[in-house]
């Protein structure tokens, strides 16, 4: 076997690829991880809103096209850890019902080929791995779990606690958002996380966010059987003459082309880039793109309908870490609207610098600085439904084309109304019902007026299912058409649900990892023994 042959190649180091690499590392199998980006440099600018939010310094400079051929600059990051380096680390399980068929105002959200119960043990593992802080039993839509969260919830700061109390008095059931930050509130002097105001959207300068680099890749590459190559852009996957096996992975690295091969190839480039990679890998056995006999690759793109809503109050909001409160009372509908509406939570605290570039409508008698001081900055998520015409394709010049027509919008409008009503009912001790001035919408992705560019929650483009005519992957996330090709990023989602996707991607990567371990002949006894040896070795070092 050549030196360039591995047992497993994993392409991409984000929530899917990073988690899988971590899980497979103790197997002693030869694993190659290929990542197009580099490490995010550790520098003070990591926490600078001007550099991060206004200059978009860490975003890819790549441009894509929308359906009209207009350029868009995607808000996405190519680096070790993928988009988890910049995520807000709100780590939710999908609801049990999200795995079944759900009727929405805009149509049907289809069932998954696996049930919530199939994924439950892996959700627990993922919550432990990513050190999720939360309180079970508060969220009224929370699915059943077999274990407590490994860490207690991150506490609300006073303004958020006041809002939580107000919401509860008006009959809502607000809860603590489960988050993956390494905060130890009982031992603040030892806590790795310092609870700062530059978390959501920023890379953590002190390595205290549970991202896929810190938690998974840094650990995986401690194993001598794991190799990580950064700045390694996978351009194509080539098959053998039967078309049933990926034979080589073609990589552009340091200006030259290299090829690698493996018994198993796992694609995890994020839902848009994974689809693009398969579509670019055409050959005579796969004329529409690799593993695309169904013509489903790239279709059913989903990204959630998201809004940032600033609620400007007379009371100031000096909160530092704002992403602690969630409301799911309208997730499945309400008395006056029987369809699912979605999820309400927070973005990180907005500041004047970010607002200046974002140019929201100004609240009467407020400057932007005052708005930033007084705003509660909500994040609203509603489910968008899988539409085969919402898709990733490759343009004639090789650029990614993202065609998307929003759907199920009534649900999102209703959710906004629900938040408005809830805010009107707040009753502060200083200003009574008059405390709250109004809600102001704002594009989160500053300097980029096209909302389509906000691809943070991308999924669905390489869906899994039982039927090879309507899905690309089988329930183990192996391509129906190719025997050694798997996909473990957000592409596999048949529906997008309305909570943040990363924990489900991580849990699924662990599930697929168990399947791969069996395929590669690694017994759980050997795996456990390897883990014990690894731990002993780590202690003796
Ligand atoms: C600002 C922001 C905030 C977010 N907040 C949250 C949150 O609070 N909670 C949550 O659940 N989700 C959140 N998300 C979304 C979350 O980060 C993603 O759902 C998750 O990272 C997706 O994982 P993935 O494995 O599908 O892809 P990614 O994490 O994007 O990883 C894909 C990797 O593949 C690499 N790659 C791409 N193409 C190639 C190629 N051809 N060759 C080699 N490598 C390649 C990329 O560089 C990247 O490292 C947020 C995202 C952003 C941007
Ligand atoms: S809040 Fe904690 S985890 Fe987030 S960036 Fe700040 S120190 Fe890092």
């Amino acid at each position: 076997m050549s030196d360039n042959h591995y047992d497993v190649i994993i392409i991409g180091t984000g929530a899917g690829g990073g988690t899988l690499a971590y899980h497979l590392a103790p197997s002693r199998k030869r694993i190659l991880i290929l990542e197009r980006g580099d490490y995010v440099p550790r520098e003070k600018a990591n926490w600078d809103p001007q550099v991060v939010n206004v200059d978009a310094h860490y975003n890819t400079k790549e441009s894509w096209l929308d359906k009209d051929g207009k350029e868009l600059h995607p808000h996405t990051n190519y680096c070790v850890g993928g988009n988890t380096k910049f995520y807000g680390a709100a780590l939710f399980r999908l609801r049990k019902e999200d795995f079944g068929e759900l009727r929405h105002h805009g149509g049907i959200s289809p069932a998954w080929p696996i049930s919530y119960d199939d994924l439950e043990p892996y959700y627990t593992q993922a919550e432990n791995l990513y050190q999720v802080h939360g309180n079970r039993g508060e969220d009224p839509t929370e699915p059943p779990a077999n274990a407590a969260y490994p860490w207690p919830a991150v506490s609300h700061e006073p303004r958020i606690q006041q809002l939580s109390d107000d919401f509860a008095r008006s009959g809502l059931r607000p809860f603590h958002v489960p988050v993956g930050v390494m905060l130890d509130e009982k031992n603040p002097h030892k806590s790795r996380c310092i609870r700062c105001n530059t978390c959501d959207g920023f890379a953590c300068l002190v390595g205290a966010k549970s991202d896929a680099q810190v938690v998974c890749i840094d650990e995986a590459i401690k194993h001598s059987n794991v190799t990580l190559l950064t700045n390694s852009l996978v351009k194509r996957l080539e098959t053998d003459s039967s078309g049933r096996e990926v034979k080589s992975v073609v990589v552009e690295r340091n200006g030259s082309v290299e090829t690698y091969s493996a018994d198993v190839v796992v694609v995890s480039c994020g839902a848009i880039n994974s689809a693009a990679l398969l579509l670019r890998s055409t050959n005579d056995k796969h004329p529409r793109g690799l593993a695309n006999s169904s013509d489903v690759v790239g279709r059913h793109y989903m990204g959630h309908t998201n809004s940032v809503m600033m609620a400007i109050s007379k009371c100031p909001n000096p909160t530092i870490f704002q992403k602690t409160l969630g409301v799911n009372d309208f997730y499945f509908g309400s008395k006056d609207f029987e369809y699912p509406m979605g999820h309400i939570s927070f973005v990180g605290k907005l500041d004047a610098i970010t607002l200046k570039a974002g140019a929201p409508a100004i609240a009467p008698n407020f400057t932007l600085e005052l708005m930033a001081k007084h705003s509660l900055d909500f994040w609203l998520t509603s489910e968008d439904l899988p539409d085969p015409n919402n898709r990733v394709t490759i343009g004639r010049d090789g650029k990614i084309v993202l065609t998307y027509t929003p759907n199920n919008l009534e649900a999102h409008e209703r959710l906004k109304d629900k938040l408005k009503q809830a805010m009107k009912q707040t009753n502060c001790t200083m200003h009574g019902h008059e405390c709250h001035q109004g809600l102001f919408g704002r594009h989160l992705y500053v300097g980029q007026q096209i909302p389509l560019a906000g691809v943070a929650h991308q999924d669905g483009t390489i869906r899994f299912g039982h039927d090879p005519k309507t899905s690309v992957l089988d329930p183990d996330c192996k391509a129906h058409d190719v025997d050694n090709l798997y996909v473990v990023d957000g592409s596999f989602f048949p529906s997008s649900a309305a909570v943040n996707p990363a924990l489900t991607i991580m849990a699924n990567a662990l599930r697929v990892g168990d399947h791969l371990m069996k395929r590669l002949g690694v017994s759980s006894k050997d795996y456990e023994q390897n883990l014990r040896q690894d731990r002993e070795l780590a202690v003796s070092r």
Side-chain angles (χ1 to χ4, degrees), residues 47 181-182 192-196 198-199 203-206 208-209 321:
W47 279 349
V181 292
M182 300 174 193
R192 199 159 152 182
C193 166
I194 58 165
R195 192 174 189 134
C196 72
T198 45
C199 193
C204 179
L205 180 51
V206 295
K209 179 153 52 176
F321 188 88

Side-chain angles (χ1 to χ4, degrees), residues 144-169:
N146 286 324
Y149 281 110
W151 286 85
V154 174
S155 62
H156 297 316
E157 290 172 49
R159 178 69 184 97
I160 303 298
Q161 186 61 54
Q162 179 193 336
L163 181 71
S164 176
D165 295 343
D166 274 347
F167 279 171
R169 262 194 301 276

